[in-house]
Amino acid sequence: MAYTGNVTPGGVPAVRELDRLTITKVSVGPMDNNAYLLRCRDSGEQVLIDAANEAPRLLDLVGDGGLAAVATTHRHMDHWVALEEVVAKTGARPLVHADDAEGLPIDAEPLREGDTVPVGDCALEVIHLKGHTPGSIALLYRDPSGIPHLFTGDSLFPGGVGNTDQDPERFGQLIDDVEHKLFDRLPDETWFYPGHGKDSTLGAERPALPQWRARGW
């Protein structure tokens, strides 16, 4: 069955097989958070993006293959409820942008713009998108034999950027970062995976950028 990215709380994961990376998406917790398990197909090394909730379910997903790291896209609690338990039971390295580190329940290694997070022979580029929180990040996988894949946390969704609490300064920062660091750099076929809900592509969302900026959210 072709990957669509559609998942439901308590439902079956959605699995996408790339040449070198397997992406497994699952919805967890009462806020329908997306968690993503990435596995290098050559080495078997795994990295989890957002240990959002339901630690036992995430640990079952990890299985006995081990977990190298957990990357948290930002400091909001609904994205790290399961972090402490997952790290304790796997020994994974917790990672978060330096500007959001104080919001996590455990100490985490700081990430910054341009850093890379290895997933075996693959790598994720850290892109800092300030506005939803001070240290929100997206993680970019440039597939050597396919399209780019972008994990955006709560900074970019189908239909708009993340919540900035109607703060014009925060919104301006976020829409600028999203436009210049994502849309200006990456092609339309880039598939993005948000922190909640359905996936989309940059091409599908690009025409609405002026509307998002004009409405202020």
Side-chain angles (χ1 to χ4, degrees):
M1 183 179 296
Y3 174 86
T4 64
N6 296 334
V7 292
T8 57
V12 298
V15 180
R16 187 170 202 171
E17 296 279 2
L18 309 179
D19 282 353
R20 298 175 59 189
L21 191 71
T22 299
I23 300 169
T24 302
K25 176 182 180 180
V26 64
S27 172
V28 294
M31 297 184 68
D32 189 14
N33 283 75
N34 295 326
Y36 300 93
L37 183 67
L38 279 52
R39 179 176 61 84
C40 172
R41 299 185 66 179
D42 288 338
S43 70
E45 184 169 282
Q46 300 186 118
V47 168
L48 181 65
I49 298 176
D50 283 346
N53 213 313
E54 299 182 51
R57 192 163 168 228
L58 295 179
L59 290 165
D60 283 345
L61 201 65
V62 169
D64 57 8
L67 190 64
V70 181
T72 301
T73 58
H74 62 290
R75 68 188 185 190
H76 287 161
M77 183 178 179
D78 60 307
H79 291 261
W80 55 253
V81 170
L83 177 63
E84 195 166 8
E85 184 173 349
V86 168
V87 166
K89 292 188 175 177
T90 64
R93 299 159 51 220
L95 309 171
V96 71
H97 191 276
D99 292 344
D100 271 11
E102 291 185 1
L104 266 58
I106 58 175
D107 291 337
E109 297 180 28
L111 298 172
R112 291 177 173 82
E113 175 86 21
D115 286 349
T116 57
V117 176
V119 188
D121 297 333
C122 305
L124 306 173
E125 177 190 343
V126 176
I127 302 173
H128 185 196
L129 303 170
K130 186 176 179 181
H132 181 64
T133 65
S136 290
I137 58 170
L139 294 163
L140 172 64
Y141 173 59
R142 295 183 181 271
D143 186 350
S145 56
I147 64 173
H149 297 263
L150 183 67
F151 302 88
T152 57
D154 284 2
S155 290
L156 175 63
F157 295 97
V161 297
N163 178 34
T164 54
D165 296 323
Q166 299 181 327
D167 182 324
E169 183 175 350
R170 286 173 55 197
F171 171 76
Q173 177 70 63
L174 182 56
I175 193 71
D176 283 349
D177 278 358
V178 163
E179 183 168 357
H180 301 317
K181 294 184 178 183
L182 303 184
F183 284 91
D184 286 355
R185 290 181 54 205
L186 299 169
D188 281 350
E189 60 265 28
T190 302
W191 191 284
F192 73 87
Y193 307 78
H196 306 262
K198 296 180 179 180
D199 306 350
S200 187
T201 65
L202 294 188
E205 307 301 321
R206 191 184 300 275
L209 275 170
Q211 177 189 346
W212 299 353
R213 189 177 286 278
R215 76 189 182 190
W217 56 273

